C-alpha cells in the first residue's frame, strides 16, 4: 500500500476539521471538529509507523496516548458546554463572549443592577 492514500485521507479529514472549527457556531460541533483533526493526526501516526516498519511501534503507541487525551478532552469539554448551556440557555459560541454574568454593555439587566446598587 502506498503512503499517499492515508496521507491524502488525513489531509482531507484535517481540512474538514479546520473548516468545522472556523465555520461552526455550536460548541458541540466545534468539539467534534477538533476530534476529527485529532483522528487525522492519528491516521498519519499509524500510517507512517507502518511505512517505516518501526520495531517499537512508536507511532501506534503515541496514537494510544492521543486517543486517551482526546477522550479526556471531550469529557471535560462536554462538561463545560453542558454547564454553560444550563446557565445561559445556549451553546452558541458567538453569544458566549462574556463569561461574567451581567457585565456586558448590551446586557439588559445591567441598568437594573446599577439602580439596585445605588439605592
Amino acid at each position: 500500500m502506498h503512503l499517499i492514500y492515508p496521507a491524502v485521507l488525513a489531509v482531507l479529514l484535517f481540512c474538514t476539521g479546520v473548516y468545522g472549527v472556523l465555520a461552526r457556531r455550536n460548541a458541540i460541533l466545534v468539539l467534534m471538529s477538533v476530534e476529527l483533526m485529532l483522528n487525522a493526526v492519528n491516521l498519519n501516526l499509524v500510517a507512517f509507523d507502518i511505512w517505516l516498519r518501526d520495531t517499537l511501534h512508536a507511532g501506534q503507541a503515541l496514537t494510544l496516548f492521543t486517543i486517551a487525551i482526546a477522550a479526556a478532552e471531550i469529557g471535560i469539554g462536554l462538561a463545560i458546554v453542558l454547564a454553560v448551556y444550563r446557565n445561559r440557555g445556549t451553546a452558541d459560541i458567538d453569544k458566549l463572549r462574556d463569561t461574567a454574568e451581567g457585565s456586558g454593555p448590551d446586557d439588559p439587566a445591567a441598568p437594573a443592577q446599577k439602580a439596585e446598587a445605588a439605592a
Side-chain angles (χ1 to χ4, degrees), residues 27-28 31 72-91 96 99:
I28 294 176
L31 287 173
E73 174 256 336
I74 202 70
I76 292 171
L78 281 176
I80 291 171
V81 168
L82 287 175
V84 167
Y85 182 77
R86 199 175 296 155
N87 288 335
R88 297 285 179 107
T90 183
L96 300 176
T99 56

Side-chain angles (χ1 to χ4, degrees), residues 47-73:
F48 277 99
D49 181 52
I50 291 173
W51 184 64
L52 294 174
R53 293 187 171 95
D54 186 16
T55 57
L56 294 176
H57 298 293
Q60 293 177 17
L62 190 58
T63 298
L64 289 176
F65 285 116
T66 307
I67 290 171
I69 290 171
E73 174 256 336

Side-chain angles (χ1 to χ4, degrees), residues 11-112:
V11 166
L12 291 174
L13 284 174
F14 195 83
C15 289
T16 304
V18 168
Y19 172 74
V21 167
L22 296 177
R24 298 295 176 188
R25 300 291 181 235
N26 192 345
I28 294 176
L29 291 177
V30 171
L31 287 173
M32 289 175 60
S33 298
V34 170
E35 290 294 321
L36 198 62
M37 290 189 299
L38 286 172
N39 284 331
V41 171
N42 288 339
L43 180 62
N44 268 335
L45 284 171
V46 171
F48 277 99
D49 181 52
I50 291 173
W51 184 64
L52 294 174
R53 293 187 171 95
D54 186 16
T55 57
L56 294 176
H57 298 293
Q60 293 177 17
L62 190 58
T63 298
L64 289 176
F65 285 116
T66 307
I67 290 171
I69 290 171
E73 174 256 336
I74 202 70
I76 292 171
L78 281 176
I80 291 171
V81 168
L82 287 175
V84 167
Y85 182 77
R86 199 175 296 155
N87 288 335
R88 297 285 179 107
T90 183
D92 191 5
I93 293 175
D94 288 338
K95 294 180 183 175
L96 300 176
R97 283 183 289 167
D98 278 338
T99 56
E101 291 187 32
S103 64
D106 48 332
D107 186 19

